[in-house]
C-alpha cells in the first residue's frame, strides 16, 4: 500500500527533474553506441572507421614493408601484438595503428585521440597510417600533444591538425555551456528535511588551465566527471546554507542560498581574484528552482494556517451569500406583489390614457392635415413668387446685359470718333507745323536778305533805291497837295539826306491819307 506520509508534491518535483535531465542529456551520446549508420545530434551520418580486419585485408595489397620498427603506442591506446618477423608482423602493426586511431582516450588531460564512435564530440579522423588528420568541430576545445614535447602542439577552440597515431595524443571537450541539475536533501536549523532543487550553468573560460586540472577522460561524456564534482560542491554549499536557516526562510527567501552557492562555486571555478588559482571555468548562472519540505505532515501543517484562513473566509462568504439570497428572495416576493398592484393601477390609468391619447391623436391628425394643406398652399405660393422673382431677375439681368452692350457700343463709337478727331487734329497740327516751318523759313530768308542788305554799302543802297523810285511812285496815291519839307538842312546828295527825304515824303503821304479819311 502507498506510503501515507510521503509528500506527493515532492514526488512530482523529482519526476520533473528527471524528465529535464533526460532532455538536457546530449542525444549524440546515445547515438554513439547505435552501431553503423547511426547519425549525430545534428542529423548528419556519423563517420565510419574501418575495423582492423578490413584494414588487414586492404593492407595485403597496398602496405609496403617498413624500413624501421614501429614506435611504441602511446599510453592508453590498444597495445599492438608482439613484433614478429615477416609480412604478418607488419600487417599486425598496421592494424594496431588503425585501432589506436579509433581507440579510447587516456586519463587526466593527455588521452589519445578518439574517433566519433568513441567520444562525446563529433570528431572525424581522415587518412591512413601516419598520414592522418583530426577534424574538430568549431564548438569544441581540443589539445594536441606529441611524445617528447612538454607543451601542446595545438590547443584551442575548433582547431584541426595532422595526427600521428604512434606519437601523438589529443583530447576533445565540448565547448558549449553545461547545465548541472541537482536535488539537495537538506536539514534546516529546525531539524526538518527540505529538498532544494537548483541548477548551475558553467562554461570553459580557459581550456589551457582546465585540461590540466580537470578530468575529461570519460570517452562517452567528457563533462560527466567535472559535472559530478561541481554538483557535489554545489550540494554541499546548499546544505551548509540551509542548515543555518529556518523552514520559512528557505521557502520564502531563496536569495541567500543563491548568493552563497554562487560565491563558493566561483571561488572554486574562477579562483579568488587570480586566474591561476581557478580551474579555467566560469560560472554563468546559479538559480534555485524549488524548495519542498520532505515531510508530508509538516508540509500540510505549514499550509494549514493559510488554508484555515481561506476556509474561514470561504465560510463567511458562504453565510453572507445565504443571507443575501434570503433577503433577495423576500425582497423579490415583496417586489412581485407590489408590482402586481402597481400593474393593475397602471392598467386602469393606461386605458384612460389610451382613450385620451386616441382623441388627442385624432385631433392632432386633423390639425396636422389642415396644417399640411396650408403648408402646401404656402409652398405653392412661395414657389410662384420665387418663379416671378426669378423671371424678373432674368429680365433685369437681360436689361443689364443690353445696357452693358449699348454702353460698350457707345464707348466704341466714341473711341472711334476720338480716334478720327485725333487723326484730324494730327493732320491739322502737321499742316500748321508745315506752315509754321515755311513761315520760319521765309522769315529766315528775309532775315538773311536783311542781313545781306545791311551788309551792302551806302552807294549800293542809294543806287537800288533810286532804281526802285519809279515803282514806288507808281504805287503811291495821288496827293491832293504837295509840300516840300527840308529836315535838318541835310545834304540832299548824301545817303542820309536821301533817306530823310523819302521818309518825309512817306510821312506826308500818310498824313494826307489820314486827313481824307
Amino acid at each position: 500500500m502507498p506510503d501515507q506520509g510521503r509528500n506527493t508534491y515532492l514526488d512530482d518535483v523529482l519526476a520533473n527533474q528527471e524528465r529535464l535531465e533526460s532532455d538536457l542529456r546530449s542525444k549524440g551520446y546515445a547515438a554513439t553506441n547505435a552501431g553503423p549508420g547511426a547519425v549525430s545530434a545534428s542529423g548528419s551520418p556519423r563517420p565510419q572507421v574501418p575495423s582492423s580486419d578490413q584494414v588487414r585485408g586492404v593492407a595485403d595489397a597496398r602496405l609496403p614493408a617498413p624500413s624501421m620498427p614501429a614506435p611504441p603506442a602511446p599510453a592508453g591506446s590498444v597495445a599492438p601484438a608482439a613484433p614478429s618477423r615477416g609480412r604478418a608482423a607488419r600487417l599486425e602493426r598496421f592494424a594496431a595503428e588503425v585501432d589506436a586511431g579509433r581507440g579510447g582516450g587516456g586519463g587526466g588531460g593527455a588521452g589519445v585521440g578518439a574517433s566519433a564512435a568513441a567520444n562525446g564530440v563529433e570528431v572525424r579522423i581522415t587518412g591512413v597510417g601516419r598520414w592522418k588528420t583530426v577534424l574538430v568541430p568549431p564548438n569544441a576545445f581540443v589539445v594536441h600533444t606529441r611524445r617528447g614535447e612538454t607543451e601542446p602542439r595545438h590547443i584551442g577552440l575548433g582547431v584541426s591538425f595532422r595526427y600521428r597515431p604512434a606519437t601523438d595524443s589529443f583530447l576533445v571537450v565540448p565547448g558549449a555551456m553545461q547545465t548541472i541539475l541537482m536535488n539537495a536533501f537538506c536539514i534546516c536549523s529546525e531539524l526538518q528535511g527540505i529538498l532544494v532543487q537548483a541548477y548551475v550553468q558553467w562554461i570553459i573560460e580557459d581550456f589551457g588551465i582546465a585540461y590540466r586540472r580537470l578530468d575529461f577522460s570519460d570517452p562517452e561524456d567528457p563533462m560527466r566527471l567535472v559535472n559530478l564534482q561541481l554538483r557535489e560542491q554545489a550540494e554541499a554549499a546548499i546544505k551548509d546554507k540551509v542548515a543555518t536557516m529556518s523552514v520559512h526562510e528557505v521557502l520564502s527567501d531563496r536569495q541567500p542560498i543563491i548568493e552563497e552557492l554562487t560565491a563558493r562555486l566561483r571561488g572554486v571555478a574562477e579562483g579568488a581574484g587570480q586566474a591561476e588559482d581557478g580551474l579555467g571555468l566560469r560560472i554563468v548562472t546559479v538559480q534555485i528552482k524549488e524548495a519542498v519540505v520532505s515531510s508530508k505532515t509538516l508540509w500540510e501543517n505549514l499550509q494549514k494556517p493559510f488554508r484555515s484562513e481561506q476556509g474561514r473566509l470561504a465560510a463567511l462568504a458562504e453565510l453572507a451569500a445565504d443571507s443575501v439570497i434570503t433577503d433577495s428572495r423576500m425582497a423579490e416576493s415583496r417586489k412581485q406583489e407590489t408590482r402586481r398592484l402597481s400593474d393593475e393601477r397602471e392598467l386602469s390609468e393606461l386605458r384612460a390614457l389610451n382613450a385620451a391619447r386616441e382623441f388627442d391623436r385624432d385631433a392632432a391628425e386633423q390639425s396636422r392635415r389642415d396644417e399640411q394643406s396650408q403648408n402646401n398652399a404656402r409652398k405653392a405660393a412661395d414657389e410662384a413668387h420665387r418663379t416671378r422673382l426669378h423671371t424678373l431677375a432674368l429680365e433685369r439681368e437681360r436689361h443689364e446685359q443690353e445696357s452693358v452692350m449699348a454702353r460698350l457700343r457707345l464707348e466704341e463709337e466714341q473711341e472711334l470718333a476720338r480716334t478720327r478727331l485725333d487723326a484730324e487734329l494730327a493732320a491739322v497740327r502737321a499742316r500748321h507745323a508745315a506752315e509754321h516751318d515755311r513761315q520760319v523759313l521765309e522769315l529766315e530768308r528775309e532775315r538773311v536778305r536783311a542781313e545781306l542788305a545791311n551788309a551792302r554799302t551806302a552807294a549800293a543802297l542809294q543806287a537800288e533805291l533810286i532804281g526802285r523810285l519809279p515803282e514806288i511812285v507808281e504805287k503811291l496815291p495821288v496827293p491832293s497837295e504837295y509840300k516840300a519839307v527840308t529836315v535838318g538842312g541835310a545834304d540832299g546828295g548824301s545817303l542820309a539826306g536821301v533817306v530823310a527825304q523819302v521818309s518825309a515824303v512817306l510821312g506826308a503821304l500818310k498824313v494826307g491819307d489820314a486827313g481824307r479819311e
Side-chain angles (χ1 to χ4, degrees), residues 4 57 92 113 133 223:
Q4 298 296 332
E92 289 293 333
T133 300
M223 298 297 190

Side-chain angles (χ1 to χ4, degrees), residues 63-130:
L63 183 65
S67 59
M68 60 182 297
S77 62
V78 179
S84 61
R85 297 180 180 180
R87 187 173 184 178
R90 292 196 297 272
L91 293 178
E92 289 293 333
R93 287 197 299 272
F94 182 79
E97 291 177 358
V98 173
D99 292 337
R102 301 192 312 159
V112 298
S115 68
N119 195 289
V121 181
E122 296 290 339
V123 178
R124 288 193 302 151
I125 301 177
T126 60
V128 295
R130 299 177 59 189

